[in-house]
């Protein structure tokens, strides 16, 4: 695999078995994404774009084909190995925020940092990182608020801070504005691209919004399991 590619797939396919027979979700996907690129994958619901995102992140197994993340072929790793690779290299922003309701904003951002052995070079590192990134998303005044005390836009800001605090090489964003109103969604996207550029992170964005996709350096269209430029 060429070193400049942070993500690469070869003839990637995903087939599921139903009562009616086999259903091809993904069909022979070939994709190359360079380090630092911003890439959008656009498609209607059910086209396979979220399935592709899950495979790229090592959250699901392909039926056939190959996936390389940071030069490592995911099929050569067991579940624990893939989890360790994700912890080192990957950040996520989801449509539904995925915050833990029993933790404050600060604690939600600190959690993935504290789970990493390498992320504690000094005492208090996780807290310092969490506070720094919550400040960058404009939530210094909300550190000790729980998710239910935050608006949808504020919850997504916490999720973005959590994703970037780990300083990932790749950030996967799955419909990050899907649960937000238009104005709040636009603010969240501005913030996402601002932090992405500042941190030189590779951004892989799944969306049905063509205007959002146009903000990325490249975008692909997913149609019935096939990917085209």
């Amino acid at each position: 695999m060429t070193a400049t590619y942070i993500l690469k797939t070869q003839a990637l396919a995903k087939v599921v078995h139903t009562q009616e027979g086999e259903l091809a979700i993904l069909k022979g996907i070939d994709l190359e994404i360079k380090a630092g690129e911003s890439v959008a994958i656009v498609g209607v619901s059910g086209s396979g774009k979220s399935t592709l995102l899950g495979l790229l992140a090592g959250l699901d197994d392909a039926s056939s084909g190959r996936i390389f993340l940071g030069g490592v072929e995911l099929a050569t790793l067991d579940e624990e190995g893939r989890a360790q690779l994700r912890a080192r290299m990957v950040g996520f922003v989801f449509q539904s925020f995925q915050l833990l309701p029993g933790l404050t904003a600060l604690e939600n951002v600190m959690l993935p940092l504290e789970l990493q052995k390498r992320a504690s070079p000094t005492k208090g590192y996780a807290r310092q990182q969490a506070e720094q990134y919550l400040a960058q998303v404009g939530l210094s005044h909300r550190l000790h608020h729980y998710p239910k005390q935050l608006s949808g836009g504020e919850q997504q800001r916490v999720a973005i801070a959590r994703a970037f605090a780990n300083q990932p090489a790749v950030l996967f964003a799955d419909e990050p504005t899907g649960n937000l109103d238009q104005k709040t969604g636009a603010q969240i996207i501005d913030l996402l691209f601002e932090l992405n550029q500042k941190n030189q992170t590779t951004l892989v964005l799944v969306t049905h919004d063509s205007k959002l996709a146009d903000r990325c350096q490249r975008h692909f269209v997913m149609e019935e399991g096939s990917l085209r430029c």
Side-chain angles (χ1 to χ4, degrees), residues 34-48:
K34 294 180 180 180
E37 258 193 314
S38 58
V39 174
I41 300 171
V42 182
V44 299
S45 296
S47 61

Side-chain angles (χ1 to χ4, degrees), residues 185-206:
Q187 293 171 345
I188 289 298
I189 289 305
D190 286 343
L191 178 61
L192 185 63
F193 277 93
E194 177 187 338
L195 286 176
N196 183 66
Q197 184 174 19
K198 181 178 180 179
N199 290 273
Q200 292 297 297
T201 305
T202 303
L203 175 64
V204 182
L205 175 70
V206 162

Side-chain angles (χ1 to χ4, degrees), residues 11 15 45 70 113 121 154 176:
V15 177
S45 296
L113 294 166
E154 288 172 333

Side-chain angles (χ1 to χ4, degrees), residues 106 109-110 113-114 119-120 122 124-131:
L106 179 62
V109 179
M110 286 175 61
L113 294 166
E114 291 179 328
S120 301
T122 60
Y125 174 82
R127 185 184 183 92
Q128 291 169 7
Q129 280 287 97
E131 289 179 346

Side-chain angles (χ1 to χ4, degrees), residues 87 90-92 105-106 108-114 116 118-119 125-134 136-137 157-168 171 195 199 201:
V90 174
F92 294 96
L106 179 62
N108 265 284
V109 179
M110 286 175 61
L111 183 61
L113 294 166
E114 291 179 328
Q116 288 190 67
R118 69 173 185 88
Y125 174 82
R127 185 184 183 92
Q128 291 169 7
Q129 280 287 97
E131 289 179 346
Q132 174 187 331
Y133 278 90
L134 283 166
Q136 289 186 35
V137 301
R157 286 172 183 266
V158 174
I160 290 172
R162 179 182 58 190
F164 279 105
N166 197 32
Q167 299 178 317
L171 179 69
L195 286 176
N199 290 273
T201 305

Side-chain angles (χ1 to χ4, degrees), residues 1-33:
M1 178 182 172
T2 306
T4 55
Y5 293 111
I6 193 77
L7 274 169
K8 184 174 181 178
T9 70
Q10 297 175 342
L12 185 65
K14 179 68 175 181
V15 177
V16 297
H17 298 277
T18 70
Q19 291 182 344
E20 289 76 28
E22 290 188 345
L23 176 63
I25 305 298
L26 297 177
K27 307 169 184 176
I29 304 295
D30 293 312
L31 179 65
E32 294 178 337
I33 299 176

